[in-house]
Amino acid sequence: MTAWDILEIEPTEELSAIKKAYARKLKVHHPEEDPAGYQRLREAYDWAVKYQRTAVKRASVPVEAGVRAEEYDIGGNDQAETAVEMDNSAEADVHIPTPPPVDWRDYQDPFRRNEKLIDEFMNRVEELYENFAERIDIEAWTALLDSDVIWNFELKREASERLLAFLEDYPFLPKSIWQLLDSNFQWSQEAFDEDHPFWDYASDRFSEYFQHQVKPYYPGLSYSFLLRAKNIDFDAYLYCRECALQHLIVNEMEQAEEWLHKAEAIFTGDPELLRLKGSVYLHTGRLERASEALGQVMQINPDDIEARMMLAYTLYESKQLPEAIQQCKIILDAKPDHIDTLSIYGKSLFEQNQLAESRNIFKRIEEMEPNASEAVTYLAAIHVRMIKELPANERPPLSELNKELQKPGAGKQLLLFLGRLPKIKMMFLFALMAYSWHVFTDMVYLNPFEFVLVLVFSFFVEEISASFFGFWSCIWLLFFAWIFRKFIREIRKAWRAARY
């Protein structure tokens, strides 16, 4: 039997065809279910890859007609030989040599010892996974990765493939343990390596799940509170919880809630599940139920900062401001610079008209994040209310308030104002105003301002007559007044923009 027979493909020099055949056969000869078949398949794959690389190198060297290729032997069988015979014609085709027969029963003691080490390693992996307390214990996995198998390069490669195949069927580990395994086996790098065949046949769902677990930005759920659970199907529960999280992240709230109900049917005392419920209720506007779920999280795990912040935000949205302020104070006692909590705290104080305290909070946020638009917006609102509602001796001076809002000085305001004047709209209005001024002046021999003065005085002084004021002059005067009004409004807009 040749390597090509084991892979069930014709002799080829295409690496992709060899890898696809290996991946297809690997589903038949699983490392745990058929270790002997897997070993034969692995050696056939390694031989085929080496053959392909050698053939590619040889193709770049001119071969004279009648020259025989060197012999290939992967099983130690001296009776096996093969050759490549070249046609004497100039356009002769190169025939791919047929691999020699291999006696796969000729195993040596080192192989048996290595296979035993791999089996012992995988047995320990299964023991860790079946014992939930050990499954989530990172020290137990660290000790496992200190075994002799990991220190042997060839054994580590096989252990890596078998462990990854096992985890595809049993993937529910804490995020920290996934990251520990990835740092040892470099799976996230091999996912983009064409020489690693596992990722050619791994399911898309597992590949996506794996990427989520090893990336630091993706949220990781805690497993420790599940130690309280008795006689439950941990994997079924974790599967439902993970599905709920994935739907929540992509804003599919109905599906997320369905999976949350399925998880609750298995176990109800998990604060992570309650936090997910609170998040779903919050996103769907059910603030009272969100407060209830997040309050239960606080009873089980008072140190959950994220859940407490969500509770504070829910209380703020539901206008329970004293309770929201209380939750914010608890968080800030532990983490004084938690910027999201500071924002909720400052907004709650603002709603309660505690302007000075709210101003101090938003000034802290602005110091931490100078470009925080929310902080600048609230400071502006606070300053407006201070100026309107508080006497001068109870509020900071206007110069200080303007400085906090980073208002430009008088010189810069003038430059900004002049820079905003030459707009197309203003130029058009100015042209209309000048034209109406000219037409009106030609009709009554007075400019509009002089005419208005004459008209006003004509009501009080009998010697002054407005008989020269006709219908069209009235129309042009009204048109000038309308254009002049719009022009003044544009100037005021430009001045406001320059000031702020």
Side-chain angles (χ1 to χ4, degrees), residues 53-237:
R53 291 174 178 171
T54 304
V56 170
K57 292 179 181 178
R58 185 179 294 106
S60 62
V61 180
V63 182
E64 300 295 339
V67 176
R68 298 175 61 84
E70 67 182 31
E71 298 177 356
Y72 300 92
D73 186 5
I74 61 171
N77 192 341
D78 295 333
Q79 299 177 357
E81 295 181 355
T82 185
V84 177
E85 296 187 359
M86 307 299 297
D87 197 324
N88 291 328
S89 64
E91 299 179 354
D93 294 329
V94 178
H95 298 282
I96 300 174
T98 302
V102 178
D103 185 2
W104 299 99
R105 296 170 298 178
D106 188 18
Y107 295 126
Q108 303 298 323
D109 288 340
F111 164 73
R112 293 196 180 103
R113 287 197 299 270
N114 292 343
E115 187 71 12
K116 183 178 179 182
L117 289 173
I118 297 292
D119 290 341
E120 290 175 353
F121 177 83
M122 289 307 303
N123 289 337
R124 180 54 182 154
V125 168
E126 293 179 12
E127 291 174 0
L128 285 177
Y129 195 88
E130 290 173 1
N131 186 323
F132 191 78
E134 290 190 332
R135 185 200 301 191
I136 65 175
D137 184 4
I138 195 169
E139 294 184 359
W141 290 92
T142 302
L144 174 69
L145 296 175
D146 195 33
S147 64
D148 294 338
V149 171
I150 306 303
W151 293 102
N152 184 304
F153 179 78
E154 291 297 330
L155 293 180
K156 181 178 180 180
R157 179 181 178 183
E158 184 173 349
S160 171
E161 291 186 2
R162 289 184 59 177
L163 177 57
L164 201 53
F166 174 82
L167 293 176
E168 184 176 15
D169 297 327
Y170 307 98
F172 298 109
L173 297 173
K175 189 179 183 73
S176 59
I177 293 177
W178 270 110
Q179 293 175 339
L180 172 67
L181 295 175
D182 183 56
S183 66
N184 277 269
F185 294 107
Q186 305 299 316
W187 290 330
S188 56
Q189 296 181 17
E190 291 177 350
F192 304 99
D193 184 2
E194 63 179 12
D195 290 333
H196 195 279
F198 174 82
W199 296 107
D200 290 342
Y201 70 87
S203 66
D204 293 338
R205 185 180 184 85
F206 175 71
S207 299
E208 181 182 5
Y209 177 80
F210 167 78
Q211 293 294 335
H212 289 166
Q213 298 307 311
V214 299
K215 298 301 181 184
Y217 58 79
Y218 192 85
L221 300 177
S222 173
Y223 282 56
S224 58
F225 284 91
L226 296 180
L227 292 173
R228 305 177 178 183
K230 303 295 183 182
N231 301 322
I232 71 167
D233 187 339
F234 288 104
D235 280 20
Y237 173 79

Side-chain angles (χ1 to χ4, degrees), residues 208-439:
E208 181 182 5
Y209 177 80
F210 167 78
Q211 293 294 335
H212 289 166
Q213 298 307 311
V214 299
K215 298 301 181 184
Y217 58 79
Y218 192 85
L221 300 177
S222 173
Y223 282 56
S224 58
F225 284 91
L226 296 180
L227 292 173
R228 305 177 178 183
K230 303 295 183 182
N231 301 322
I232 71 167
D233 187 339
F234 288 104
D235 280 20
Y237 173 79
L238 293 170
Y239 176 77
C240 295
R241 192 179 72 168
E242 190 66 33
C243 289
L245 173 63
Q246 292 180 8
H247 286 295
L248 176 61
I249 289 175
V250 297
N251 205 33
E252 296 175 350
M253 298 302 160
E254 291 185 6
Q255 295 89 331
E257 193 166 356
E258 289 178 6
W259 284 107
L260 288 172
H261 290 322
K262 292 178 181 179
E264 274 189 314
I266 301 174
F267 180 59
T268 58
D270 181 12
E272 293 285 0
L273 189 71
L274 292 168
R275 180 158 57 85
L276 293 178
K277 281 182 61 179
S279 183
V280 169
Y281 292 147
L282 180 60
H283 281 82
T284 53
R286 291 173 284 179
L287 300 180
E288 185 175 351
R289 298 190 68 177
S291 298
E292 181 182 352
L294 295 169
Q296 293 177 10
V297 177
M298 293 298 95
Q299 294 176 3
I300 300 173
N301 184 19
D303 297 328
D304 190 336
I305 297 295
E306 183 180 354
R308 190 176 292 278
M309 189 200 69
M310 289 175 58
L311 176 59
Y313 180 76
T314 303
L315 293 170
Y316 166 76
E317 287 292 321
S318 58
K319 304 303 179 182
Q320 301 180 49
L321 300 178
E323 292 81 0
I325 291 174
Q326 181 182 2
Q327 296 298 328
C328 290
K329 287 180 178 179
I330 295 174
I331 299 173
L332 294 174
D333 287 341
K335 292 189 174 183
D337 294 332
H338 197 281
I339 195 163
D340 293 331
T341 303
L342 285 171
S343 176
I344 299 171
Y345 188 33
K347 290 187 288 187
S348 300
L349 292 171
F350 178 79
E351 293 294 332
Q352 285 204 314
N353 207 33
Q354 300 180 38
L355 300 180
E357 295 84 349
S358 179
R359 173 172 169 262
N360 292 333
I361 294 298
F362 284 111
K363 284 174 65 177
R364 280 181 61 187
I365 295 176
E366 194 176 30
E367 291 174 359
M368 296 164 61
E369 290 190 4
N371 297 322
S373 59
E374 183 183 59
V376 175
T377 301
Y378 268 91
L379 282 174
I382 291 169
H383 295 168
V384 170
R385 288 179 60 174
M386 281 184 165
I387 294 170
K388 289 183 178 180
E389 300 174 7
L390 299 179
N393 60 346
E394 295 184 9
R395 58 172 167 79
L398 289 177
S399 58
E400 182 179 343
L401 297 179
N402 291 337
K403 185 177 180 181
E404 288 179 7
L405 290 177
Q406 300 178 355
K407 285 188 176 181
K412 191 172 182 180
Q413 288 182 22
L414 180 60
L415 291 175
L416 291 172
F417 171 66
L418 295 176
R420 290 178 178 273
L421 285 180
K423 292 166 52 178
I424 294 177
K425 184 176 180 179
M426 294 193 67
M427 293 174 68
F428 177 71
L429 290 173
F430 182 79
L432 286 177
M433 189 172 64
Y435 179 72
S436 60
W437 175 291
H438 175 72
V439 172

Side-chain angles (χ1 to χ4, degrees), residues 1-14 17-18 21 44 47-49 51-52 96-100:
M1 179 180 290
T2 68
W4 305 118
D5 295 332
I6 295 172
L7 293 171
E8 293 185 355
I9 58 173
E10 295 296 325
T12 180
E13 295 180 7
E14 295 184 6
I18 296 172
W47 183 92
V49 170
Y51 163 78
Q52 183 269 344
I96 300 174
T98 302

Side-chain angles (χ1 to χ4, degrees), residues 432-442 444-456 469 473 476-481 484:
L432 286 177
M433 189 172 64
Y435 179 72
S436 60
W437 175 291
H438 175 72
V439 172
F440 185 81
T441 303
D442 286 347
V444 299
Y445 303 104
L446 293 172
N447 66 50
F449 297 113
E450 292 174 339
F451 178 80
V452 170
L453 289 175
V454 171
L455 184 63
V456 170
F469 185 54
S473 58
W476 279 105
L477 179 63
L478 293 175
F479 180 71
F480 174 82
F484 182 74

